[in-house]
Amino acid sequence: MLTNKTINLSKTLTLVALVGAASAASTSALAEQWRGWNIHPPSYPNSVALESFADEVAEKTDGRIEPKVYHNAVLGDQPDAIEQTRNGALNFANFNMGPMGPIVPATNILSLPFIFKSPDDMYRVMDGEIGDRFAEALEEKNLVALSWFGSGARSLYNTDHPVETPADVEGLKVRVMNNDLYVQMIDEMGGNATPMAYSEVYQSLKTGVIDGAENNYPSFESSGHYEVAQYYSLTEHLILPECLCVAKSSWDDLSEQDRGIVREAAQNAAVEQRRLWEERAETSRQRVLDDGVAINEVAGKSAFQAEMQPIYDEFVASHPDLETLVEDIQGAQE
């Protein structure tokens, strides 16, 4: 026979269970599902670091924010993803600064050839006050840059011969990213710059539509371009930072506590990405060497830099408000 005490206890336990279930359902319903854009495949250094970012944010916010990274540009190409993040349709992304210029003109500075002397110089500059100035320019366009990733140094490769001096580029048809500064860079060396979709480069090299291209070790290797262009010359003309950016609308919705968690996770991701990048770059270098690629150091980089002066002169004339920032970046590396 059930006593009143037993019945009351049973009712209490049932009520506790219902409250707990409701609380769990409420927490799940309140969890913010963040969508993140990434152009790279899942095994790429940037991708691994982004997954770490997502895991850390989810763990340290106790599931209040649940980021999910979509790799391989399945949510659109970078120009589309930039717009989606700016308007809040995407919550976060890893963007290269190369295609950012049309939206944030100041970032075109980062695409000036030889603006950075080395990846380490780039990290040091972007991690400091100058990087904060770029972050402010991005935030004006609704992108909150929380940390800076690396993408190595881009160098020239071609199907015909090593590049030792600017004269060795003369007459070569070289694929570049769709940016006027990159077109000017090849043209100043006497080459024929050919903007082209990345997916078309392998076949174009193979069939002679173009003679060469330019990129970093991991991309040169993972794309298979080394199979058809076996001269890789370390011009290291472009050292482009990338950002881990959050949509300003998403950022503004966060509490101060969660902002701290997200920022720290982004900075931790940058440390991991840079370490993984160096490891991957060395692996890729060795792989293409083993396949017979001829890699040559370029002793006279000053000759290439001298060829770029007209680009700097034209850029400053067109953007006089950015001249001080250009000078500050150069001065920070002296």
Side-chain angles (χ1 to χ4, degrees), residues 188-232:
E188 290 295 339
M189 290 185 277
N192 299 315
T194 307
M196 177 184 293
Y198 189 58
S199 59
E200 299 173 11
V201 175
Y202 182 95
Q203 192 63 21
S204 297
L205 286 167
K206 188 174 182 178
T207 59
V209 171
I210 57 175
D211 302 305
E214 51 84 49
N215 220 314
N216 52 54
Y217 273 133
S219 296
F220 178 57
E221 176 261 319
S222 63
S223 63
H225 294 176
Y226 71 95
E227 298 169 357
V228 287
Q230 295 221 316
Y231 295 93
Y232 191 90

Side-chain angles (χ1 to χ4, degrees), residues 250-309:
S250 300
W251 182 254
D252 289 345
D253 286 343
L254 295 177
S255 67
E256 285 300 318
Q257 177 187 2
D258 286 348
R259 285 184 188 180
I261 289 170
V262 172
R263 185 179 294 278
E264 182 179 20
Q267 291 171 348
N268 289 340
V271 172
E272 181 178 19
Q273 189 272 342
R274 296 175 191 185
R275 176 181 60 80
L276 292 173
W277 181 269
E278 292 304 315
E279 294 174 359
R280 175 62 185 269
E282 178 54 31
T283 299
S284 295
R285 187 190 74 86
Q286 191 57 53
R287 188 168 294 165
V288 301
L289 271 175
D290 292 344
D291 195 69
V293 169
I295 298 175
N296 64 288
E297 296 283 346
V298 176
K301 286 184 185 176
S302 59
F304 288 90
Q305 292 165 341
E307 295 287 336
M308 300 301 110
Q309 191 57 49

